[in-house]
Amino acid sequence: MTLRGRLTAAFLVVVLGPVLLGALFVAYTVAAVDHSRSTERLAVAASTVRTSVDALCQQLRATADAAALTADPAVAAAQLVGRGLAAAVLITDVTGQVTYVSPGAPSTPWRDCSGATTGATGPVRALAAHVDLRDRAGTLLGTVTAAQLVDPAFVARLAAVTGVAVTLLDSEASAARVTHTTESREVRDAVLAAASSVHGERVTETTDGRYVRRIGPSDGQPLPLVLSVPSERPPGLHATLVGVVVLAGLLAVLTAWRLARMTTRPLMELAGAVDRVAHGDLTARVPVRSRDELGRLAAAFNRMTRETGSYVAALTSNRDQLRGHLAVLGDTLASTHDLQRILRVILHSAIGATGARAGAVLLVETGGVLVAQCTEGLDGRWPEGDADGPQTLRVPVGVGVVGAVAATGEPQRGRVEPTEAPAGEPRCRTYVAVPFAAPGGGTAATLIGSSGPTDEAGAAAALGVLALYDRLGADEFDDDDLVTLRTFAGHAAVAVDNVRVHEEAQRLSLTDPLTGLWNYRYLRESIRREVERASRFGRMLSILALDLDRFKDVNDTYGHAAGDTVLAEFARRVRGEIREVDLAFRQGGEEFVLLLPETDARGAAIVAERLGVVVRETPIAVEAYAGPVVVTVSVGIAVYPDNGSTGREVLEAADDALYAAKAAGRDTYRVAEVRQDVPTREIPVLAGAVSPPDGLPRAGQPVQAIREPGGPARSEPAVGVPESSPAGPAHARPESADDPADTATGGARAGPDAARPGSGGGASSGPHPPRQSRGR
C-alpha cells in the first residue's frame, strides 16, 4: 500500500474516529444528564413528600394534644374536627375500648405516623397520630388519636406539591396493588413493574423512558409511595446521530485523497527533521505551510523540540546546581564543626534540590522531644491565634507527622487537609519527612540519650528528622524527592555524628577523667582568657591554688584506689562551693586550681574558708575500709592585677601563698603579698565606701588577708596602703567568721550577686568558655 493510500486511510480514521466518538459521547452525555436530572427531581420530590407528611403528622399530634389537655376531650375533639384540623378523632380508655369517635370517621386501617397500622390490615385509609390521655395527677386514662383521610385528593395534593406522579400502594411489601395514583393508564403498569423490581429507594427506569423511585414507609413518612417522572431526552436523538456519522464519512472519503497529496511534502520535511533530532540536533525545525492537521503537527513538533531543548538546559542547570550544593555541603562538612551552619547548608540544599517552599531540621533531645535546629520559610504557617509561631519548633516523638517519622524510622510524604493539621506543627498542603540515624546505628543511642526513641533492640531509632513543606509547581512530593531527601538526611546524620563525636573528644581532651574537672591544658587557656577579660573591663580575678594535706599518707595507708575516691569526692565538694561562672581545674596529683572571675581577695578568702570547712568537717567514706578518711586542704590566694600582670605571674603568686599556708601548719589559707612593682592605673571611684554602680569590685590596692589555723579570719592592710584608701573596703575581709553580716547573708562573697550557689551549683563542665556573670 502506497504512502498516499495509507494517508487516505489515516485521514478517514482521523476524521471518522472523532465523529464516532463524538456521537457516542453526545449520546452518553445526554443519557447521563437526563438520568442525573430525573434522579435529582425524584430526590427533591421525595424530600418534599417527607416534609409534607411530617407536617401533617405534626398537625395531627398537635390536634390530639389539644383534645387530651382539655377537661372534656370529646367536646374538644368535635370542635377540632369542625375546624378542619383533623378528619376524625378517636378516644379510647386504658383497656382499648372506644369512648368517643368522630362522626363520619374514615374506615380502618389507619396508618400511624410512627409506622404502625391501626385496625385491620389492608389499604391505608387514613394517617393518624396519637397521644396519651392523663388526668391532672398524671394517671393514664387512655389514648387520643387524630386522623386525616388518605384519599385521591390527598395523593393529588402530594403530586401537585412535588411536581411528579404519585402512587399510593396497598402494602409496602408489594407494588402489585394500588390504592390511589395520579399515573395515566398508559404508563401505570410499566411504573408498577419497575417499582416491584427495585429494593430500597434506588431509582430505576421503565421501558418507555420514565424514572421510578419508591419511598417509605420510614420514620416521619409511613406511607408506601411510588414517584415517577418522564424522561427529558429529545426524540429521535439516535437517528440524528447516525445520520451525522454517515454524512461525515461521505465528506471524509471525498476529501481524503486530496489531503493525502497535500501532506506528502510536509511529511518528508517532518521525517528529515525527526532524523536530525534523533541524532541530537534539537535546533531542527519544520516549516509550517498551512493551518491544517499537518501544519499543527509541524508547529507541535517545533514546540516539542523547543521545550525539549529547554528541558535539557533546565536539567543541565539543575545538575550543575545540585553539584554546587553537594560541593558546598562537602566543603562545609570538611571545613567546620559548627552544627548549626552545617544543618543550615543541608536544609538549604534540600530545599533547592526538591523545590520546597519551607523546611526544618529537627534533632531528638533528652526527654524524647524533637527540637528544630534550623528552619526556613515557616513564617506565616502557624494557626491564626499564634501567627508568629513558637520561638522553637518542638514536637514530642510519636506525635504528629515528624514525631511519627522519628518514632517509626519510616519516611512519610503526602497531603494534609486543613482540618487534619497536626497540633504544634506548621500548616502546609503537602509534606515529606525523612528520618536520619547515626552511621552504623551504634552511636545514636549514646548521642541522643537513653530517653530518645528506641527500637526493639534498644538502639536509637533516629537522631532527627529532615522535613520539607509545599513543593513548588507540583501538588505533592514524589518518590524522586524522597530519594533526594534521603541523601541529604544521610549527610545530616554524618554531620551530627561527627560534630558530637568531635565535641566529646574535645571535652575529654580538656577534662580530668577521674574528677571531671578541667585539666591543666584548659587551665592555661582559661587563665589567659580570664586575665584578658579582667584587664579589658577593669575587673579583678582571684586564683586559688589548693593542695590536699599529707595526701601521700592516704595513698600509703589506704591504697591508690582510696586516694582516687578521696580526689573524686574532694572535686565534688569543690564544685558544690563555687558558682557556675567559676572554673575548677585539677593541676596534677592532689593539686587543684580555682579561677574566680570578678572576685577580690575578700571574696576569695571566703571561698577558701568554706572549702576548708567543707573538707575538714565531713570525713570521706571509702569503700572496703572500716572508718572514713579525714583530710584537710591548704589554699593559696592571688589576685589579678595585685599579684601579677599576667596569668602565669598570678598563678605563681598563688603557689607561693600555698607554700606559705603549708608552712603555717596546713589546713589554712594565705593571700599572696602585693607586688610593689606591678604597674597600676588610677581608676576614679566614688568617695568613701560606696560600691560602684554595677556592684562589681574594681582593681586597686589590696588588703592582705591572713587566717590562722583554727582561728577567726582577720585583715591587715598592705604595706604602704593607708587604711582609709578607697580600695580598702573592696578587699577587706570580715573580722570574724561569726560576724552578724556574714551570718545574715549566709556567708556571701563581696558583691551584690555573690551568694554561694546551693548544691546544684558547680564549675562549668564543657569545652566552651562559661558566660559572664556579675561579681561576688
Side-chain angles (χ1 to χ4, degrees):
M1 189 176 182
T2 62
L3 176 61
R4 184 174 301 175
R6 292 197 299 270
L7 288 177
T8 301
F11 276 117
L12 290 176
V13 172
V14 169
V15 173
L16 294 180
V19 172
L20 291 174
L21 292 178
L24 293 176
F25 175 75
V26 169
Y28 174 78
T29 302
V30 170
V33 170
D34 179 57
H35 183 273
S36 176
R37 294 183 60 181
S38 299
T39 301
E40 184 177 356
R41 288 182 60 190
L42 289 175
V44 173
S47 177
T48 305
V49 167
R50 291 191 182 94
T51 303
S52 300
V53 174
D54 183 66
L56 178 59
C57 289
Q58 294 293 338
Q59 177 181 333
L60 294 176
R61 292 190 186 95
T63 302
D65 281 334
L69 292 175
T70 59
D72 190 349
V75 175
Q79 293 176 353
L80 292 172
V81 172
R83 294 172 59 186
L85 297 178
V89 175
L90 175 67
I91 303 176
T92 60
D93 57 14
V94 293
T95 63
Q97 296 295 324
V98 177
T99 60
Y100 173 80
V101 63
S102 299
S107 61
T108 57
W110 294 359
R111 180 61 58 91
D112 192 88
C113 288
S114 63
T117 301
T118 303
T121 60
V124 178
R125 303 302 182 188
L127 190 63
H130 69 275
V131 297
D132 293 336
L133 179 63
R134 300 178 183 273
D135 58 10
R136 293 184 178 181
T139 304
L140 181 64
L141 301 177
T143 303
V144 178
T145 303
Q148 183 65 45
L149 185 64
V150 177
D151 55 3
F154 175 81
V155 177
R157 286 196 300 271
L158 289 180
V161 171
T162 59
V164 300
V166 180
T167 300
L168 176 63
L169 302 177
D170 285 355
S171 172
E172 64 271 15
S174 173
R177 299 182 62 185
V178 176
T179 303
H180 306 293
T181 182
T182 60
E183 297 282 2
S184 62
R185 294 182 178 274
E186 292 79 10
V187 300
R188 181 182 304 174
D189 294 337
V191 169
L192 294 179
S196 300
S197 64
V198 69
H199 299 283
E201 295 191 0
R202 293 183 301 173
V203 176
T204 185
E205 186 177 2
T206 64
T207 56
D208 56 355
R210 294 185 68 87
Y211 292 92
V212 180
R213 175 175 178 174
R214 291 184 63 174
I215 63 171
S218 61
D219 294 340
Q221 202 294 98
L223 301 178
L225 300 176
V226 175
L227 309 180
S228 71
V229 293
S231 173
E232 297 181 357
R233 281 176 291 190
L237 174 64
H238 294 89
T240 303
L241 293 177
V242 171
V244 170
V245 172
V246 172
L247 180 60
L250 293 176
L251 294 176
V253 171
L254 294 176
T255 58
W257 182 78
R258 181 170 178 82
L259 293 175
R261 291 183 61 186
M262 295 175 60
T263 54
T264 304
R265 182 180 177 184
L267 284 176
M268 294 300 296
E269 294 173 345
L270 181 60
V274 169
D275 187 62
R276 290 172 58 190
V277 171
H279 287 82
D281 183 10
L282 295 178
T283 62
R285 298 292 184 268
V286 178
V288 181
R289 302 185 182 278
S290 62
R291 296 184 179 179
D292 56 7
E293 287 81 359
L294 285 178
R296 296 205 308 270
L297 179 61
F301 176 82
N302 294 337
R303 185 171 61 254
M304 180 186 66
T305 54
R306 285 195 300 269
E307 292 180 355
T308 303
S310 64
Y311 291 155
V312 171
L315 289 175
T316 303
S317 176
N318 289 339
R319 180 194 63 189
D320 296 339
Q321 184 179 9
L322 183 58
R323 288 178 178 175
H325 284 311
L326 293 177
V328 171
L329 182 57
D331 293 341
T332 304
L333 291 175
S335 61
T336 182
H337 286 96
D338 185 353
L339 182 59
Q340 296 297 323
R341 177 184 173 189
I342 294 174
L343 294 181
R344 281 196 301 271
V345 171
I346 291 175
L347 177 60
H348 179 73
S349 301
I351 290 177
T354 59
R357 296 179 183 268
V361 179
L362 303 94
L363 297 183
V364 180
E365 294 190 352
T366 302
V369 178
L370 283 164
V371 180
Q373 304 300 315
C374 61
T375 60
E376 185 171 340
L378 296 185
D379 295 339
R381 293 179 175 271
W382 305 101
E384 295 181 359
D386 190 15
D388 296 334
Q391 294 182 352
T392 302
L393 177 59
R394 303 175 66 90
V395 180
V397 173
V399 177
V401 174
V402 295
V405 171
T408 61
E410 295 294 333
Q412 293 187 16
R413 63 180 179 89
R415 177 180 295 275
V416 177
E417 298 298 332
T419 58
E420 300 175 356
E425 296 188 32
R427 294 180 300 178
C428 64
R429 293 188 302 272
T430 59
Y431 68 90
V432 58
V434 175
F436 54 88
T443 311
T446 305
L447 295 179
I448 65 176
S450 59
S451 59
T454 58
D455 55 19
E456 295 180 355
L463 283 177
V465 176
L466 175 58
L468 301 182
Y469 304 101
D470 293 341
R471 180 184 178 188
L472 292 170
D475 292 336
E476 295 186 14
F477 294 92
D478 53 25
D479 292 336
D480 293 336
D481 296 323
L482 197 60
V483 172
T484 302
L485 208 59
R486 283 180 182 270
T487 301
F488 287 105
H491 288 300
V494 173
V496 173
D497 191 62
N498 289 345
V499 169
R500 291 184 173 177
V501 169
H502 175 268
E503 291 177 352
E504 180 67 12
Q506 185 178 11
R507 187 189 68 81
L508 293 176
S509 68
L510 297 177
T511 56
D512 175 59
L514 176 61
T515 62
L517 302 180
W518 301 111
N519 58 19
Y520 181 71
R521 174 184 177 185
Y522 192 57
L523 170 63
R524 293 181 299 174
E525 177 184 347
S526 300
I527 287 180
R528 176 190 57 77
R529 183 181 65 249
E530 294 298 335
V531 167
E532 290 178 356
R533 181 180 299 154
S535 175
R536 184 184 314 117
F537 297 105
R539 302 289 193 262
M540 305 185 75
L541 172 67
S542 293
I543 299 180
L544 277 64
L546 292 74
D547 186 90
L548 291 176
D549 299 327
R550 297 183 176 88
F551 184 73
K552 184 176 181 301
D553 295 342
V554 175
N555 284 334
D556 294 343
T557 304
Y558 302 101
H560 288 279
D564 292 344
T565 302
V566 171
L567 291 176
E569 176 62 20
F570 174 72
R572 187 191 65 80
R573 296 183 184 183
V574 167
R575 284 194 296 266
E577 294 298 322
I578 61 177
R579 303 170 304 178
E580 186 177 357
V581 296
D582 299 335
L583 299 175
F585 307 85
R586 183 186 180 190
Q587 191 172 11
E590 70 274 18
E591 298 178 0
F592 299 82
V593 174
L594 297 182
L595 297 185
L596 311 181
E598 300 178 353
T599 304
D600 55 10
R602 174 191 175 94
I606 293 175
V607 174
E609 199 166 306
R610 286 176 178 159
L611 289 174
V613 171
V614 76
V615 174
R616 180 190 322 111
E617 294 184 355
T618 305
I620 299 175
V622 179
E623 294 184 3
Y625 296 98
V629 177
V630 179
V631 294
T632 57
V633 62
S634 299
V635 183
I637 302 173
V639 180
Y640 172 85
D642 299 335
N643 300 116
S645 58
T646 65
R648 183 184 182 118
E649 292 177 355
V650 179
L651 182 59
E652 290 177 353
D655 286 336
D656 294 340
L658 174 62
Y659 294 143
K662 291 281 189 180
R666 298 181 176 85
D667 191 18
T668 184
Y669 68 88
R670 288 291 184 270
V671 179
E673 297 182 358
V674 179
R675 288 177 45 184
Q676 301 301 320
D677 58 343
V678 175
T680 59
R681 177 171 59 89
E682 182 177 357
I683 301 176
V685 296
L686 298 177
V690 180
S691 300
D694 58 0
L696 301 178
R698 293 293 193 270
Q701 297 297 333
V703 174
Q704 184 174 7
I706 303 175
R707 179 187 181 281
E708 299 298 337
R714 60 188 179 86
S715 60
E716 296 181 0
V719 178
V721 180
E723 295 185 4
S724 60
S725 171
H731 296 271
R733 292 175 48 251
E735 292 298 329
S736 172
D738 299 329
D739 193 328
D742 283 349
T743 305
T745 60
R749 309 180 197 178
D753 296 328
R756 178 180 66 88
S759 60
S764 174
S765 58
H768 302 290
R771 63 179 183 271
Q772 289 275 355
S773 176
R774 295 177 63 87
R776 304 174 191 276

